[in-house]
Amino acid sequence: MLNKNQTLGEFIIKNQTSFKYSSGELSSLINSIRLAAKVVNHEVNKAGLVDIIGFTGNENIQSEKQQKLDVYANEKFISTLINRNIVCGIASEEEENFITINSSDRNNQNKYVVLIDPLDGSSNIDVNVSVGTIFSIYRRKTKIGTEVSIDDFLQKGRNQVAAGYIIYGTSTMLVYTTGSGVNGFTLNPAIGTFYHSNSSIKIPNDGNIYSINEGNYLQFPEFVKKYIKFCQEEKDDRPYTSRYIGSLVSDFHRNMIKGGIFLYPQTSKNPNGKLRLLYECNPIAFICEQAGGVATNGKENILDIIPTELHMRMPFYCGSKKMVQQLKKFI
Ligand code: P6P
């Protein structure tokens, strides 16, 4: 039952006992993400007014031009997580290697690692289009009190204990799951509080929106070209509508609410796809599946893929179950 007067903090406390690992740590971890989200939101919303837009002149490890807000968001989320001393390791799109947080200290009982895309869709920052933060949380695999290792991060998406995103759009929303459904919280900027605005979000089983960067059409695999033509045919429930923002969180969020499919296939520029498995595909796939949708790389369920590298990329197709099933018929 949706109680729009319920704050995110109250929701976390109320649902903590239902979470099988309920030790309070995950709750305070989600709370620290909530705090960082407010801080980043404040900067995103005034980016046009201060000298924080534009390029830093540096490149991140993806050799993508790093925008100042990327760096700011990365620093904010990492420092908040470290200051709260809740996690034993962090991996970020903006950091070449994972960060360990005094995990070799035998007194460090922290058992979670976080993987994060601190500001996804950053190419949209300068043109005032919505961007987002994506996070993924796992329990460490290595023994508590020992050094965190890469194995703690290279876990398949099925192992996630929680995942979510913040969308800095016409309103700022935090959407997340701990494996018992998907809930959305909208920020009231006047008082800096997230309120429960969407309860147990379910993605429509079918839809008529397809989201893909058709500029890459000539480079797509044949099955994707056939599917796009299927979407454009005039027949029964088609042509579908094409909607593409170029910000994964925004494109996915719209499709989850209205029904639709998001596609980022492999291209000649990105032969393994552009999106990163660990901190873009897996968290979005976990949320999608929890909302009743499907996420695949064209061959297998995204959540079953065993990662081999921290920043590995993956072709990504996710959304309404019937639309993904229709796509698969062309493979
Ligand atoms: P393209 C943003 O840079 C991002 O990582 C995702 O948020 C988005 O879905 C995709 O890349 C857009 O890529 O090649 O269409 O600009």
Side-chain angles (χ1 to χ4, degrees):
M1 180 61 191
L2 180 61
N3 169 6
K4 293 203 171 191
N5 292 318
Q6 185 180 50
T7 68
L8 172 55
E10 291 159 352
F11 178 85
I12 290 171
I13 291 165
K14 180 168 174 286
N15 290 279
Q16 175 170 300
T17 48
S18 66
F19 177 59
K20 57 180 183 275
Y21 299 112
S22 70
S23 65
E25 260 186 285
L26 185 67
S27 301
S28 46
L29 176 41
I30 303 284
N31 272 315
S32 63
I33 288 173
R34 172 181 61 153
L35 171 64
K38 289 184 203 174
V39 173
V40 170
N41 173 67
H42 183 65
E43 289 307 314
V44 166
N45 282 349
K46 68 175 187 179
L49 304 174
V50 297
D51 175 35
I52 200 160
I53 282 191
F55 297 122
T56 57
N58 309 325
E59 283 197 342
N60 63 13
I61 69 114
Q62 321 288 342
S63 65
E64 290 165 347
K65 287 194 179 67
Q66 223 169 22
Q67 304 241 11
K68 289 180 183 172
L69 261 180
D70 275 348
V71 175
Y72 179 83
N74 188 49
E75 285 164 4
K76 278 301 158 205
F77 275 97
I78 289 175
S79 58
T80 305
L81 288 167
I82 291 177
N83 295 344
R84 292 274 184 106
N85 188 22
I86 302 160
V87 298
C88 54
I90 304 169
S92 167
E93 181 192 41
E94 304 298 335
E95 304 287 338
E96 183 154 4
N97 299 308
F98 61 86
I99 300 164
T100 63
I101 296 142
N102 58 46
S103 63
S104 53
D105 171 353
R106 300 188 63 75
N107 303 320
N108 180 340
Q109 297 304 306
N110 296 342
K111 54 177 172 291
Y112 294 114
V113 295
V114 181
L115 298 100
I116 195 160
D117 182 354
L119 207 66
D120 177 71
S122 50
S123 54
N124 286 317
I125 293 169
D126 289 351
V127 292
N128 209 10
V129 170
S130 58
V131 294
T133 297
I134 311 172
F135 63 89
S136 171
I137 302 171
Y138 292 87
R139 288 166 69 84
R140 68 182 294 178
K141 285 172 73 172
T142 50
K143 198 165 164 298
I144 287 180
T146 63
E147 194 60 46
V148 166
S149 89
I150 187 67
D151 297 336
D152 292 311
F153 297 92
L154 298 184
Q155 299 190 50
K156 62 184 179 180
R158 194 76 60 201
N159 293 359
Q160 292 174 95
V161 292
Y165 56 81
I166 297 107
I167 179 168
Y168 309 100
T170 44
S171 63
T172 295
M173 277 190 79
L174 188 152
V175 176
Y176 83 100
T177 181
T178 56
S180 311
V182 180
N183 284 279
F185 301 82
T186 299
L187 180 68
N188 176 339
I191 53 176
T193 301
F194 281 99
Y195 284 95
H196 198 188
S197 51
N198 305 69
S199 178
S200 306
I201 302 174
K202 287 295 173 201
I203 186 168
N205 202 40
D206 202 353
N208 67 357
I209 295 172
Y210 71 103
S211 311
I212 187 168
N213 182 342
E214 298 196 46
N216 298 321
Y217 180 83
L218 296 178
Q219 304 170 43
F220 288 153
E222 272 316 301
F223 78 93
V224 173
K225 291 179 180 175
K226 287 178 184 161
Y227 181 69
I228 291 173
K229 290 304 162 207
F230 168 83
C231 294
Q232 294 169 342
E233 273 167 0
E234 299 232 13
K235 184 167 181 277
D236 303 336
D237 57 352
R238 285 174 299 194
Y240 291 163
T241 294
S242 172
R243 285 283 182 276
Y244 193 71
I245 299 169
S247 182
L248 172 62
V249 172
S250 308
D251 280 314
F252 173 73
H253 184 76
R254 179 204 52 245
N255 290 352
M256 185 167 68
I257 301 299
K258 295 192 163 188
I261 183 170
F262 175 89
L263 307 93
Y264 207 107
Q266 58 272 41
T267 61
S268 40
K269 183 184 169 201
N270 288 302
N272 295 314
K274 176 183 181 185
L275 300 181
R276 270 72 64 161
L277 174 62
L278 287 177
Y279 40 80
E280 288 178 329
C281 302
N282 272 339
I284 295 296
F286 186 25
I287 292 165
C288 184
E289 192 165 288
Q290 282 288 311
V294 173
T296 176
N297 67 349
K299 295 191 178 72
E300 57 185 308
N301 187 304
I302 286 284
L303 297 175
D304 296 328
I305 296 169
I306 307 286
T308 52
E309 289 163 39
L310 204 51
H311 299 289
M312 68 188 284
R313 298 175 190 265
M314 190 59 60
F316 191 53
Y317 310 95
C318 87
S320 296
K321 188 174 285 185
K322 280 188 75 173
M323 296 184 85
V324 176
Q325 286 168 344
Q326 179 61 51
L327 168 70
K328 285 181 177 176
K329 288 179 184 169
F330 292 102
I331 295 176

